[in-house]
Amino acid sequence: MLALRVVFVTVASVAPAIAAAQTAPATATDTVAVSIDVSKPGAKIDRNIFGQFAEHLGTGIYEGVWVGPDSPIPNTRGIRNDVVAALKAIKVPNVRWPGGCFADEYHWRKGIGKSRPATLNPNWGGVIEPNTFGTHEFMDFVDQIGSEAYLSVNIGSGTPQEAAEWLEYLTTDQPTALAKERAANGHSAPYKIPYLGLGNESWDCGGNMTAEYYTRQMTIYSRFVRNFNPAQRDTGKMLRIAVGPGGGESRWTDWTETVMKAWQGHQWSWDMEGLSLHNYTVIKWPPAYASVGFGEKEYAEILQKTLEMDGLIAKHSAIMDKYDPQKKIALVVDEWGAWYAKLPGSPEGFLAQQNSQRDAVLAALNLHIFARHADRVRMANIAQMINVLQAMILTNKEKMVLTPTYHVFKMYVPFQDATFVPVTFDAGTYTQGAITLPRVDAIAAKDAAGKVWMAVTNVDPNRPATITASVAGLTPRSAAGQTLTAPRVDSVNTFEAPTTVAPKLIAPRVQGGTVTLTVEPRSVTVISVQP
Ligand code: AHR
């Protein structure tokens, strides 16, 4: 994978760049030559790395998605129309549901049929869970936004039988009692469930299990939780995702070793197709960094932290390679994103935070990391979709606002299922206090129609950069693109000012086989290049 990430930062180039960062006026630009090589295609950037995560947590589901059919907020069968339209536009490939920690306390039968008992949500504020948004409502939501379902089954406090019956209820077309019950509840055709999580964080909120105990449980669930309507778009199989590590220390590498070793020696009667990795960008625990009103120091600290994702993936991929050199098992980063202090005044346990231009840059950097590891990382789910942690969308009653992170996901749609192509460039450096980061980051890909796409992140919050891009083996004739920047690193969109951070069209200059564009400070830019 490193071979694909050829980012030259030579000693000779770093030293002048550091000096420049300390002395240059805010308007100074430096030129970064990027060369794209379409003759050496890499792995497919699976659309699933743009997946979302929607847990029963705070106002992520209730209010964010579900307002009920009688709500004055425009909705279709209880699901808000504004949110559906916004999510359709970013082509969400899959939605992970119902948790998170919630999944290991969720009992699906309480969320079907006419009579739905009120239960509690002890993980997240101890609030009432009305169960009005259950299996059918989730599948309707996924259908309305044109996405696919990634269900997490309850291993922590459920049973293999409960999970097996859920999948039979959802997927069989035989006239079983469960299929008849599904039909009586309004859906006679079997649903498609392409992705199945076998528990969540079983080393913590999912049951405090050891790796050995989890692996034993997981193999039982893998055996009995059958999908009768296998449905993954490309393979026709269900992708079963085992709980994986939550960090890089030996505790976590041991976990990956244990699960992968079990898989290597597995018998025909059980299998898995994915291993999960959870990694939040959080500096202190409990999270203390503010999501609003921060300065350049916190901007640099958070971005430095988020770049640890690369090493973490490399570390666990190396272990997976030992047991699975053919890379049959996907590494699924199904919880990632920034986790900040809760917004003042917001309820405990709701994980409400704002979303700034810093988060846009953070999202782009992580998407680049996933793309560079596309041969192993074939799915990822940002936490979380609406109103929780690093959200795409914030809502307040009838109001809705799109976050800077949403705009990044929209700008990156062309990378879904495109083929990774290598880029070389001198990243330069951005220095803030004791922190030095690569100043510029870039990835490129070729889509099915042959169009070449490049995404560039200018991490430096003070200096623009001039990018000169050449594509080996291709003479560019035209280029077009969009850029997302903001007046400040902590600029946010609010209900009152929803477009402070919004993408702008740009027209790169094409001359003599080179595409030239200026990327503004603290920006994310995506361009297409046409021969
Ligand atoms: O996303 C919030 C929580 O973070 C999830 O429920 C849990 O899996 C993780 O610890």
Side-chain angles (χ1 to χ4, degrees):
M1 182 49 57
L2 271 180
L4 297 180
R5 189 191 182 188
V6 190
V7 180
F8 295 116
V9 184
T10 62
V11 175
S13 69
V14 169
I18 291 174
Q22 287 160 350
T23 56
T27 51
T29 67
D30 300 289
T31 299
V32 180
V34 175
S35 102
I36 303 172
D37 191 352
V38 286
S39 70
K40 295 194 180 72
K44 182 179 86 168
I45 301 170
D46 200 305
R47 64 179 175 276
N48 278 322
I49 71 165
F50 299 90
Q52 299 285 330
F53 171 35
E55 181 168 11
H56 286 233
L57 192 175
T59 54
I61 296 288
Y62 297 108
E63 176 167 326
V65 173
W66 179 258
V67 288
D70 301 328
S71 170
I73 298 171
N75 68 83
T76 301
R77 295 180 292 281
I79 295 164
R80 51 191 300 168
N81 294 344
D82 51 356
V83 162
V84 166
L87 291 173
K88 266 172 118 162
I90 58 170
K91 297 196 186 305
V92 177
N94 70 85
V95 185
R96 180 172 183 252
W97 176 86
C101 296
F102 182 82
D104 279 296
E105 298 195 44
Y106 184 60
H107 300 284
W108 67 274
R109 282 208 149 275
K110 298 187 174 161
I112 58 164
K114 288 216 162 43
S115 155
R116 310 272 181 107
T119 55
L120 287 173
N121 189 341
N123 285 297
W124 305 119
V127 295
I128 291 280
E129 165 56 54
N131 284 302
T132 42
F133 188 89
T135 298
H136 289 262
E137 291 75 20
F138 172 67
M139 296 307 294
D140 189 14
F141 169 61
V142 164
D143 192 45
Q144 287 191 37
I145 65 170
S147 190
E148 293 193 309
Y150 171 10
L151 287 189
S152 277
V153 297
N154 178 347
I155 290 191
S157 68
T159 62
Q161 184 181 355
E162 181 188 15
E165 288 180 355
W166 196 12
L167 266 283
E168 184 191 322
Y169 177 88
L170 280 157
T171 64
T172 188
D173 64 353
Q174 301 285 319
T176 67
L178 284 165
K180 286 179 185 165
E181 193 178 358
R182 181 189 70 227
N185 287 332
H187 209 273
S188 53
Y191 288 110
K192 287 185 188 294
I193 306 295
Y195 312 104
L196 193 76
L198 300 169
N200 168 76
E201 296 193 356
S202 304
W203 28 262
D204 183 41
C205 67
N208 296 308
M209 300 174 194
T210 62
E212 290 73 21
Y213 184 82
Y214 168 73
T215 305
R216 190 68 204 98
Q217 294 299 306
M218 181 269 287
T219 58
I220 293 170
Y221 277 71
S222 164
R223 166 73 180 159
F224 293 114
V225 184
R226 292 186 168 94
N227 188 329
F228 300 96
N229 189 20
Q232 215 190 319
R233 263 184 277 189
D234 300 334
T235 65
K237 281 171 69 178
M238 179 171 70
L239 199 136
R240 282 161 293 187
I241 299 152
V243 168
E249 296 83 3
S250 60
R251 168 184 179 206
W252 303 116
T253 51
D254 288 353
W255 184 283
T256 301
E257 289 271 357
T258 304
V259 178
M260 288 304 298
K261 199 170 178 179
W263 176 78
Q264 188 188 45
H266 78 290
Q267 295 163 357
W268 63 271
S269 59
W270 77 272
D271 208 347
M272 63 183 224
E273 290 80 21
L275 181 74
S276 137
L277 167 68
H278 287 186
N279 180 40
Y280 285 96
T281 301
V282 56
I283 288 180
K284 287 185 184 154
W285 197 263
Y289 277 54
S291 59
V292 281
F294 54 85
E296 190 178 329
K297 179 174 167 288
E298 293 78 15
Y299 170 81
E301 285 174 343
I302 288 288
L303 294 186
Q304 181 184 47
K305 188 77 192 162
T306 213
L307 289 172
E308 289 177 10
M309 179 69 92
D310 189 44
L312 202 57
I313 290 174
K315 193 179 239 182
H316 291 287
S317 293
I319 299 170
M320 295 174 80
D321 286 349
K322 267 199 313 186
Y323 300 99
D324 173 28
Q326 292 177 296
K327 300 188 191 296
K328 290 184 179 163
I329 308 290
L331 186 59
V332 176
V333 190
D334 55 9
E335 288 190 26
W336 69 274
W339 192 326
Y340 303 122
K342 79 179 189 72
L343 283 176
S346 65
E348 281 303 330
F350 275 33
L351 312 188
Q353 63 188 44
Q354 244 295 5
N355 194 296
S356 66
Q357 182 62 17
R358 176 176 65 183
D359 297 301
V361 175
L362 182 156
L365 291 174
N366 279 281
L367 293 172
H368 293 190
I369 292 169
F370 300 153
R372 290 186 184 108
H373 289 277
D375 57 346
R376 183 64 87 177
V377 177
R378 300 198 284 272
M379 192 156 166
N381 299 76
I382 190 167
Q384 297 195 7
M385 191 161 59
I386 302 165
N387 293 336
V388 176
L389 300 177
Q390 189 173 345
M392 303 291 115
I393 293 173
L394 302 176
T395 64
N396 183 8
K397 301 195 173 69
E398 77 289 353
K399 295 186 201 140
M400 177 188 89
V401 68
L402 305 176
T403 67
T405 302
Y406 172 93
H407 292 305
V408 170
F409 271 67
K410 187 154 181 217
M411 288 162 64
Y412 277 65
V413 164
F415 287 88
Q416 292 197 14
D417 285 344
T419 303
F420 182 87
V421 294
V423 287
T424 51
F425 56 96
D426 177 343
T429 55
Y430 154 60
T431 301
Q432 212 301 312
I435 294 176
T436 297
L437 302 175
R439 181 181 171 210
V440 167
D441 192 30
I443 57 162
K446 195 172 175 181
D447 71 14
K451 212 187 249 190
V452 175
W453 294 86
M454 178 176 71
V456 183
T457 305
N458 182 6
V459 169
D460 194 318
N462 304 311
R463 292 182 302 160
T466 299
I467 308 293
T468 57
S470 58
V471 187
L474 184 149
T475 306
R477 303 224 179 277
S478 66
Q482 288 187 68
T483 193
L484 185 75
T485 190
R488 300 158 50 103
V489 289
D490 63 342
S491 294
V492 297
N493 289 336
T494 62
F495 299 112
E496 296 71 37
T499 55
T500 305
V501 187
K504 288 184 302 196
L505 293 178
I506 54 165
R509 195 155 48 87
V510 181
Q511 205 174 31
T514 301
V515 180
T516 305
L517 63 148
T518 297
V519 288
E520 294 180 37
R522 55 191 172 276
S523 66
V524 178
T525 303
V526 172
I527 65 162
S528 65
V529 178
Q530 308 223 52

